[in-house]
Amino acid sequence: MKAYKQQFVTQLGEEEITVVIQASRRKSMRLAWSPAGQVDLRIPVGVPRSDVLTFLKKHESWLLQRRRDWLQARDASRGSMELVGETVQLVPWQGRGLKLEEGRLLVPAGSEQQQTDAIDRWLRQQAKELYQGLIDDWWPQFQQYAAAKPVLRIKRMRTRWGSLSTRGYINLNLALMHQPLDLIELVVVHELCHLAHFDHGPGFRRLMAHHLPDCRAREQQLNQVRLNGFQPTC
Ligand SMILES: [Zn+2]
């Protein structure tokens, strides 16, 4: 059997993680977190996929910790963050809580991990308000298609900007917070249009164009965005 390389995305905990597999003539599996923000997995040729998944599952908490460390290092080195179309500087301060003022986000001083966690919590709270506000604003135009307003869930996803579940949830990516408002709105309207049309066929396209006449331009803009090398879809 020959050596090969392949990659796939898997769900670990709440996160979607890219796994790059290299199979070669070796005896055991070896796991590493790559600087690219992916899982590097070396395996012996011939190991079945089920064994690979079991192995990943077994090391789930280790991987999630590596991922948190990596996200933290990335954010710390950046020193700034895109927030709904604006660049804000991340500035440590001695006060309580996070405070947004004049293009700066004041973050309570602490370890890098504490700061990362605080920013993440704050971002989720902001996302909750912003996304829910957009859903509420648009809901009157869509309530004819559903018995109840879909319930918002905010997730970090690698491959999706958003999705609408048949069980009544609208899932929106936390990473949308780093995009301009008109692109966040695009995804919200896109998912709400799925209440009327499950696919992206002509009926769906008509409804999108009816509500957002410039949806094509917004879609082109969103399609330029990559999350760790991925082009997420809706
Ligand atoms: Zn869609």
Side-chain angles (χ1 to χ4, degrees), residues 190 194 200 234:
H190 179 112
H194 277 313
H200 297 137
C234 295

Side-chain angles (χ1 to χ4, degrees), residues 136-145 207 210-211:
D136 293 348
D137 286 350
W138 280 96
W139 180 241
Q141 321 243 32
F142 289 94
Q143 56 184 353
Q144 57 184 304
Y145 304 116
L207 195 59
H210 169 72
H211 290 301

Side-chain angles (χ1 to χ4, degrees), residues 11-143:
Q11 185 89 19
L12 282 182
E14 294 273 280
E15 315 288 340
E16 284 179 338
I17 291 182
T18 304
V19 180
V20 179
I21 291 181
Q22 287 190 62
S24 60
R25 293 181 56 184
R26 53 181 296 131
K27 290 215 155 57
S28 60
M29 291 197 252
R30 192 179 69 87
L31 197 57
W33 185 264
S34 87
Q38 301 171 329
V39 175
D40 269 337
L41 181 58
R42 308 293 168 99
I43 62 171
V45 170
V47 169
R49 193 181 171 97
S50 58
D51 285 8
V52 168
L53 294 175
T54 306
F55 184 77
L56 286 173
K57 192 76 193 159
K58 200 172 129 197
H59 294 88
E60 177 169 337
S61 58
W62 184 85
L63 281 172
L64 290 173
Q65 187 57 51
R66 291 289 83 71
R67 181 183 152 82
R68 276 193 290 274
D69 294 347
W70 177 81
L71 281 172
Q72 167 193 311
R74 191 196 61 182
D75 289 349
S77 68
R78 202 162 45 194
S80 67
M81 177 172 79
E82 289 301 309
L83 182 67
V84 197
E86 313 241 357
T87 304
V88 295
Q89 300 301 316
L90 302 174
V91 181
W93 77 314
Q94 298 302 323
R96 279 166 59 89
L98 279 85
K99 199 170 162 188
L100 186 62
E101 57 168 42
E102 292 162 12
R104 302 188 312 167
L105 182 60
L106 304 179
V107 184
S111 71
E112 286 191 357
Q113 184 67 63
Q114 286 167 335
Q115 294 194 21
T116 304
D117 290 346
I119 291 171
D120 198 76
R121 278 194 303 274
W122 183 83
L123 206 54
R124 277 179 192 273
Q125 191 56 45
Q126 302 296 309
K128 209 167 147 185
E129 285 175 31
L130 181 65
Y131 298 174
Q132 190 64 58
L134 285 167
I135 293 168
D136 293 348
D137 286 350
W138 280 96
W139 180 241
Q141 321 243 32
F142 289 94
Q143 56 184 353

